[in-house]
């Protein structure tokens, strides 16, 4: 267990920023940041590199599309152009459409406030996943991305580790359950650990290097 804690600490030191943080989202339990996380999740859900999705999200937010109202009010071409500036070109036209449709769904169903979605599901991960997959472009993997990041502010989700996070843990020789992984870090840090484990699973971070540093 002691060595596992060292590995977890090294991983957090090296790759402890969540994808939301990289996209410039100051995540909190408020409508704006929770919607921005939904936008980022939509972008991360396509078969495109995570760094490109993060850059595209930053461009959308820089253009002012930080709320569902602003996203829907933007023209389809404006959304395409913002995605293009983030080099999100392979899926830009389809994604621009999905972002507009998703913004309208967020407004119609939850009045632009995804805290309502959280309350509606009474914190049940399965219920949350089911509701999140109602948004265009977000399937089971996308719902996992959202909940993995949202656990930083929705503490009733912790510890939430999806398939990719657990795959990263396996590469590092760490425990294979969310509960045992949670014992390696302070509770508020678990979301950062889960994101860092995903980076190992995706090859953004070297498992071998992390374990070598931990063994010093």
């Amino acid at each position: 267990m002691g060595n596992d804690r060292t590995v977890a600490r090294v991983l957090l030191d090296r790759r402890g920023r969540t994808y939301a943080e990289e996209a410039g989202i100051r995540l909190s339990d408020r409508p704006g940041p929770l919607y921005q996380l939904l936008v980022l999740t939509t972008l991360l859900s396509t078969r495109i590199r995570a760094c490109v999705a993060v850059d595209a999200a930053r461009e959308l937010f820089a253009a002012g599309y930080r709320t569902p109202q602003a996203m829907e009010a933007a023209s389809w071409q404006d959304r395409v152009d913002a995605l293009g500036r983030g080099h999100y070109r392979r899926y830009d036209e389809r994604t621009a459409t999905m972002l507009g449709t998703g913004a309208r769904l967020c407004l119609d169903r939850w009045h632009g406030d995804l805290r309502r979605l959280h309350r509606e599901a009474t914190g049940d991960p399965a219920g949350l996943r089911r509701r999140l997959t109602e948004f265009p472009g977000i399937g089971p993997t996308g719902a996992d991305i959202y909940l993995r990041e949202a656990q930083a502010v929705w503490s009733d989700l912790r510890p939430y580790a999806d398939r990719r996070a657990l795959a990263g843990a396996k590469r590092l020789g760490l425990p294979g359950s969310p509960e045992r992984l949670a014992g390696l870090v302070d509770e508020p840090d678990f979301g950062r650990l889960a994101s860092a484990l995903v980076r190992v699973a995706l090859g953004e971070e070297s498992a071998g290097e992390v374990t070598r540093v931990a063994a010093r």
Side-chain angles (χ1 to χ4, degrees), residues 2 5 21 36 38 40 42 84 113 116-117 147 198 204 208:
R5 285 200 179 100
E21 287 172 328
Q36 291 156 31
L38 184 73
L40 176 62
T42 303
D113 187 350
R116 292 171 178 262
L117 179 150
L147 298 181
V198 169
E204 296 177 18

Side-chain angles (χ1 to χ4, degrees), residues 14-90:
R14 291 170 64 92
R15 300 304 296 252
R17 294 183 74 199
T18 65
Y19 288 102
E21 287 172 328
E22 285 199 1
I25 301 170
R26 296 184 178 182
L27 197 57
S28 63
D29 194 23
R30 294 184 295 113
L34 291 173
Y35 173 71
Q36 291 156 31
L37 179 58
L38 184 73
V39 171
L40 176 62
T41 297
T42 303
L43 301 178
L44 286 168
S45 294
T46 58
R47 294 184 178 181
I48 202 162
R49 287 183 301 160
C51 62
V52 175
V54 166
D55 286 347
R58 294 180 72 93
E59 289 293 339
L60 287 164
F61 302 150
Y65 313 145
R66 293 178 167 270
T67 65
Q69 293 89 343
M71 185 68 78
E72 188 190 38
S75 72
W76 176 84
Q77 189 61 58
D78 284 342
R79 293 193 294 266
V80 169
D81 291 345
L83 291 168
R85 291 193 295 274
H87 305 289
Y88 197 94
R89 294 195 168 92
R90 186 176 176 187

